[in-house]
């Protein structure tokens, strides 16, 4: 236990950056185009818009863009980074990692001493990359520099009822000590098992094979198991502190989830409320749990598709959802499922929803799920340092323009969206290939694909910044101090 005294202080996420495509399709218009019932995507799934990429963008260009923006917004230099890890399930090459492509950004700094590589398992890869970055900072391997974890993906589906659950984006996380979002050490539940709920066995296609009903069951079962582990560990901490309290969702101030679609997140909040109810020794049946006594002796495994249970606990948890989770669904609702960045888009949405003063000291829980399956439930503590220029104020300032960035996108019609999807399908892994999309349609400062030569080598360029030299940097972004 003596080693704990040598750990860097308050290790966690210091800064965050996100990139999403500059174009989107409206989900209500997509309902009409697909000939489905009105409200199926917008009400049934809880989605409003879906971002998508032309053939000018791939996972490597997304990650190039988000990494360079993270560095530029925080006035970092590339020699300040000692570990870089990418979590993605969007495979371009079976051997060469996305991380190696990002190393071209480090060339001018002369920094080639950067540990880390790609991590892959469906939507969980970004969380695994983050955990690896955190572990490096807290290990004997740490050399005092920052780590960066990047989650990036392009989520596309074949024509049919799953296509509306696509999306695309990338999130970069700067990791180190004295963080604005401190990971709570020892409070983590993890659940992994073998299952074929969603997978990509055909390497000639971008499209997955999906067992929709099984996928929902696996997600909720993983949530049950992870939360129960986390709850037990949090309760043990409270018992050691002898405060006499019982851990429940009341001890969490905000809850973020991997979001395949927003309606599943709302059901997940209800699922956690059900867990609290079943696990509590003496639930308050005349107050908090009024009207739920008929569900007292349920077995969780029997309730995954029980409509009566779902309806009852959706109602019982509605206030929890509205206050603790819905603020974190802005990007999921407006961009769609980004796969590995999805959970961290939720974290960004929550952080952008309130002033720093209202979030200081709060506990934020995060549930990460990747099919196949891998999952974790863990938590962050928001810093209480509100001094001007503090890491928390810099972080909140750097993402203050998220809604403006979403509003600056271009809406394409469903037929135009369909044409782009057909082009991506037709040219997937084609070489040589010259992309047809218009780079001028991309946001300023976006990396894009210029060509794929006959040896499958990809080349990239960057769209110009604004005339004043900026990308879409928000007011309030500032410098990050060197790691001590």
């Amino acid at each position: 236990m003596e080693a704990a005294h040598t750990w860097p202080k308050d290790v966690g996420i210091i800064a965050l950056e996100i990139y999403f495509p500059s174009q989107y399709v409206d989900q209500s218009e997509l309902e009409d185009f697909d000939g489905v019932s009105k409200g199926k995507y917008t009400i049934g799934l809880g989605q409003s818009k879906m971002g998508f990429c032309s053939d000018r963008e791939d996972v490597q260009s997304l990650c190039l863009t988000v990494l360079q923006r993270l560095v530029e917004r925080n006035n970092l230099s590339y020699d300040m980074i000692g570990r870089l890890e990418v979590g993605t399930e969007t495979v371009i090459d079976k051997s060469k990692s996305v991380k190696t492509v990002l190393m071209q950004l480090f060339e001018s700094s002369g920094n080639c001493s950067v540990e880390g590589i790609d991590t892959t398992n469906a939507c969980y890869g970004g969380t695994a990359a983050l955990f690896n970055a955190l572990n490096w900072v807290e290990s004997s391997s740490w050399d005092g520099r920052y780590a960066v974890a990047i989650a990036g993906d392009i989520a596309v589906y074949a024509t049919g009822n799953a296509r509306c659950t696509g999306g695309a984006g990338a999130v970069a996380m700067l990791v180190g000590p004295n963080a604005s979002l401190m990971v709570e050490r020892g409070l983590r539940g993890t659940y992994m098992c073998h299952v074929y709920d969603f997978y990509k066995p055909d390497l000639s296609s971008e499209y997955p094979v999906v067992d929709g009903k099984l996928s929902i069951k696996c997600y909720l079962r993983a949530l049950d198991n992870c939360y129960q582990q986390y709850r037990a560990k949090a309760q043990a901490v409270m018992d050691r502190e002898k405060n006499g309290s019982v851990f429940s969702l009341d001890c969490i101030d905000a809850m973020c989830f991997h979001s395949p679609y927003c309606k599943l997140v709302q059901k997940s909040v209800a699922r956690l409320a059900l867990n609290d109810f079943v696990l509590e020794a003496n639930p308050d049946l005349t107050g908090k749990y009024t009207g739920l006594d008929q569900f007292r002796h349920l077995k969780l495994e029997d309730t995954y598709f029980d409509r009566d249970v779902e309806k009852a606990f959706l109602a019982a948890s509605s206030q929890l959802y509205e206050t603790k989770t819905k603020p974190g669904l802005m990007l999921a609702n407006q961009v769609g499922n980004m796969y590995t960045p999805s959970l961290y888009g939720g974290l960004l949405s929550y952080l952008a929803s309130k002033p720093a003063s209202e979030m200081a000291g709060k506990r934020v829980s995060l549930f990460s799920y990747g099919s196949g399956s891998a999952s974790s439930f863990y938590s962050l503590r928001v810093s209480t340092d509100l001094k001007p220029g503090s890491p928390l104020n810099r972080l909140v300032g750097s993402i203050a323009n998220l809604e403006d960035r979403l509003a600056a996108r271009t809406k394409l019609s469903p037929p135009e969206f369909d044409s782009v999807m057909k082009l991506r399908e037709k040219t997937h892994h084609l070489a040589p290939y010259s992309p047809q999309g218009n780079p001028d349609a991309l946001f300023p400062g976006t990396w894009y694909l210029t060509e794929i030569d006959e040896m499958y080598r990809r080349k990239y360029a960057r769209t110009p910044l604004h005339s004043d030299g900026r990308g879409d940097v928000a007011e309030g972004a500032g410098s990050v101090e060197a790691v001590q």
Side-chain angles (χ1 to χ4, degrees), residues 21-25 50-54 409-412 420 441 443:
S22 61
Q23 57 193 15
Y24 71 91
V25 62
M50 178 171 59
F52 63 96
C53 297
S54 74
R409 296 178 298 168
T410 300
K411 183 174 77 169
L412 269 63
V420 171
F443 286 129

Side-chain angles (χ1 to χ4, degrees), residues 91-259:
V91 178
I92 283 182
D93 189 285
K94 292 181 286 185
S95 176
K96 183 174 173 60
S97 69
V98 174
K99 184 270 180 76
T100 59
V101 175
L102 303 185
M103 289 304 299
Q104 64 188 289
L105 297 178
F106 291 75
E107 290 175 1
S108 62
S109 71
N111 178 22
C112 296
S113 177
V114 184
E115 295 188 8
I117 213 72
D118 289 6
T119 305
T120 300
N121 187 88
C123 302
Y124 186 80
T127 293
L130 174 60
F131 286 174
N132 288 343
L134 293 164
N135 291 342
W136 178 73
V137 173
E138 291 191 336
S139 76
S140 61
S141 299
W142 187 49
D143 63 7
R145 292 183 293 170
Y146 293 113
V148 174
I150 296 178
D153 274 305
I154 297 173
V156 291
Y157 292 83
T159 302
N161 60 6
R163 174 157 280 184
C164 61
T165 61
V171 170
M173 296 169 272
L174 185 69
V175 176
N178 306 311
S180 47
L181 305 174
M182 301 162 283
V183 175
E184 292 198 280
R185 188 178 290 124
L187 295 185
R188 184 188 302 176
T190 291
Y191 178 78
M192 301 199 179
C193 66
H194 166 57
V195 63
Y196 281 111
D197 60 329
F198 168 112
Y199 50 108
K200 296 179 179 177
D202 184 357
L203 298 181
S204 67
S205 170
E206 286 191 286
Y207 304 143
V209 176
V210 184
D211 183 332
K213 186 173 182 179
L214 177 61
S215 184
I216 294 171
K217 180 179 180 179
C218 290
Y219 182 104
L220 296 176
R221 182 172 60 195
L223 178 61
D224 287 347
N225 281 273
C226 288
Y227 177 63
Q228 288 170 29
Q229 291 178 48
Y230 177 93
R231 191 179 190 273
K233 292 177 180 179
Q235 185 64 59
V237 172
M238 295 168 72
D239 290 344
R240 286 196 299 269
E241 295 172 349
K242 294 182 171 59
N243 62 13
S245 299
V246 174
F247 183 87
S248 71
L249 296 179
D250 294 336
C251 301
I252 298 173
D253 300 297
M255 298 181 287
C256 298
F257 299 80
H258 167 57
S259 179

Side-chain angles (χ1 to χ4, degrees), residues 397-448:
S398 73
I399 60 174
N401 67 343
L402 268 184
E403 290 191 38
D404 292 338
R405 290 166 64 181
L406 288 167
R409 296 178 298 168
T410 300
K411 183 174 77 169
L412 269 63
S413 68
E416 290 172 315
F417 164 70
D418 186 60
S419 294
V420 171
M421 292 297 101
K422 287 177 179 175
L423 177 63
R424 290 189 66 92
E425 181 177 335
K426 180 181 177 180
T427 61
H428 181 65
H429 277 283
L430 186 64
Y433 179 64
S434 297
Q436 301 176 29
N438 180 10
D440 294 338
L442 301 172
F443 286 129
T446 298
W447 284 89
Y448 64 94

Side-chain angles (χ1 to χ4, degrees), residues 2 170 191 313 328 349 437 448 471:
E2 288 298 318
Y191 178 78
F313 282 88
S349 297
Y448 64 94

Side-chain angles (χ1 to χ4, degrees), residues 152-393:
D153 274 305
I154 297 173
V156 291
Y157 292 83
T159 302
N161 60 6
R163 174 157 280 184
C164 61
T165 61
V171 170
M173 296 169 272
L174 185 69
V175 176
N178 306 311
S180 47
L181 305 174
M182 301 162 283
V183 175
E184 292 198 280
R185 188 178 290 124
L187 295 185
R188 184 188 302 176
T190 291
Y191 178 78
M192 301 199 179
C193 66
H194 166 57
V195 63
Y196 281 111
D197 60 329
F198 168 112
Y199 50 108
K200 296 179 179 177
D202 184 357
L203 298 181
S204 67
S205 170
E206 286 191 286
Y207 304 143
V209 176
V210 184
D211 183 332
K213 186 173 182 179
L214 177 61
S215 184
I216 294 171
K217 180 179 180 179
C218 290
Y219 182 104
L220 296 176
R221 182 172 60 195
L223 178 61
D224 287 347
N225 281 273
C226 288
Y227 177 63
Q228 288 170 29
Q229 291 178 48
Y230 177 93
R231 191 179 190 273
K233 292 177 180 179
Q235 185 64 59
V237 172
M238 295 168 72
D239 290 344
R240 286 196 299 269
E241 295 172 349
K242 294 182 171 59
N243 62 13
S245 299
V246 174
F247 183 87
S248 71
L249 296 179
D250 294 336
C251 301
I252 298 173
D253 300 297
M255 298 181 287
C256 298
F257 299 80
H258 167 57
S259 179
Y261 52 91
C262 293
K263 199 70 172 183
L264 181 58
V265 172
Q266 187 174 2
K267 292 179 180 180
S268 296
V269 176
R271 190 75 194 176
L272 292 183
L274 172 62
N275 270 264
D276 271 0
F277 175 70
V278 170
L279 295 171
E280 194 166 320
N282 297 295
D284 181 5
L285 297 174
T286 60
K288 182 178 179 180
Y289 298 116
T290 299
L292 300 177
D293 52 319
Q294 62 180 304
F295 305 116
R296 183 70 190 99
H297 301 292
L298 286 173
K299 291 183 179 180
L300 289 171
E301 187 68 26
D302 298 333
T303 62
Y304 293 122
F305 299 107
D306 188 317
R307 293 294 180 89
D308 292 334
V309 172
E310 180 181 287
K311 183 178 179 180
F313 282 88
L314 278 170
S317 64
S318 60
Q319 188 61 29
L320 279 176
Y321 170 74
E322 289 291 331
T323 58
K324 297 186 178 185
T325 296
K326 191 175 181 179
L329 288 176
M330 176 177 66
L331 285 164
N333 173 268
Q334 294 290 307
V335 179
N337 184 7
M338 297 183 284
Y339 284 169
T340 54
S342 170
L343 172 61
Y344 301 98
L347 178 60
L348 278 156
S349 297
Y350 167 71
L351 294 170
S353 70
K354 295 176 174 62
S357 59
E358 292 184 18
M359 292 183 287
K362 302 296 187 183
R363 169 183 276 162
V364 182
S365 69
L366 299 99
F367 174 65
S368 180
Y369 178 81
S371 292
S373 69
S375 56
S376 290
F377 191 105
Y378 68 105
S379 57
L380 307 167
R381 280 284 187 185
V382 181
S383 170
T384 57
D385 183 0
L386 293 170
K387 296 191 299 292
S390 69
L392 178 59
N393 275 314

